[in-house]
Amino acid sequence: MVNVNSLSDTRQDAPPARTAGAALYTVVAVGLIVAMAALGAAYGVRSWLDSMAHDAAPAELSASHIITIGAQRYVMPAALLADPIQRRDGFAERMDFTLALPLGEGGTLSEVAITIMPRGRMRTSAALLDSVYLHQFAPTQLSGVPGLVGKPLELDAGTTGETVWYDPLTANPFVAKCMTPVAMTLGDRTCLRVLALSDRNTAIVAFDPAVLDNWRSFDARIEAALSPLRK
């Protein structure tokens, strides 16, 4: 049997919901979240911002690691590295992370997935244009991206639905291969470009097809995002 009077007494004796100490704690916590969000914005990492906005990062995610790919050292916040195995110092064969860069329409942020590997482990998209793609082009030609030519690949060797977009007027052209999935969702990273980095490594970048409109600034944006991570 419930004693109604006891419940009433308990409510009357309970301390106020907010105290001066609790208010101060809230102010400090909000200040910490804002500071960490600003740091995350500098790296363009939307996932990091989201985690900081909801909860304090675990200790292992607040650390940074010095990871060496080829001859280049990178200072990588652990929160950028999706694979826990890569969250360690030392030499590595590859490094995988996602950044949000101003490559969308009107300079809006668009997520790109980046894999960094030593130079020579994978041929660049520009190198593949002459040696591979030209021999697989279908007769048709697509347009739609200013400055780029779109050539579908022949419907064999597993290339169904793939189109190569390239700049036909440059000696070292921008080249990217895009796949059209059965069900396309806005923001899907279905385009792939492999480029040689200035630090003598190679970057494999997967991105939304809408980013192709900003192909002229693509490589520069990737380099600018990686520059503060290099040591």
Side-chain angles (χ1 to χ4, degrees), residues 13-218:
D13 296 337
R18 293 183 57 87
T19 65
L24 178 60
Y25 174 84
T26 300
V27 171
V28 172
V30 170
L32 178 60
I33 292 173
V34 170
M36 294 304 292
L39 178 61
Y43 290 110
V45 187
R46 193 181 73 182
S47 58
W48 196 8
L49 289 174
D50 291 342
S51 65
M52 291 301 169
H54 290 88
D55 295 292
E60 65 271 17
L61 294 183
S62 63
S64 293
H65 300 286
I66 299 178
I67 301 174
T68 303
I69 306 289
Q72 178 64 53
R73 292 189 297 175
Y74 300 88
V75 180
M76 295 296 299
L80 290 181
L81 302 169
D83 187 352
I85 296 178
Q86 296 182 355
R87 295 171 188 159
R88 59 181 180 82
D89 295 84
F91 289 89
E93 292 297 318
R94 61 183 290 164
M95 186 167 59
D96 307 283
F97 52 97
T98 301
L99 299 178
L101 303 181
L103 287 167
E105 184 178 359
T108 58
L109 294 179
S110 181
E111 286 192 344
V112 298
I114 301 176
T115 295
I116 296 180
M117 302 177 68
R119 183 77 58 88
R121 297 296 175 86
M122 179 169 286
R123 300 173 70 183
T124 65
S125 297
L128 291 174
L129 179 64
D130 291 331
S131 62
V132 177
Y133 296 149
L134 282 176
H135 305 288
Q136 297 179 340
F137 283 163
T140 57
Q141 180 171 309
L142 306 178
S143 60
V145 180
L148 295 182
V149 170
K151 294 288 290 185
L153 299 180
E154 293 282 4
L155 304 182
D156 58 11
T159 59
T160 301
E162 294 185 356
T163 299
V164 174
W165 293 91
Y166 68 99
D167 169 20
L169 304 177
T170 307
N172 183 30
F174 175 93
V175 181
K177 184 172 69 170
C178 297
M179 179 184 67
T180 304
V182 176
M184 184 71 180
T185 303
L186 183 64
D188 281 354
R189 298 188 290 266
T190 57
C191 290
L192 190 71
R193 171 162 170 74
V194 183
L195 65 144
L197 297 173
S198 61
D199 60 17
R200 302 188 62 78
N201 282 326
T202 297
I204 306 166
V205 187
F207 56 94
D208 184 335
V211 167
L212 286 173
D213 286 336
N214 292 309
W215 65 271
R216 289 182 176 86
S217 62
F218 186 92

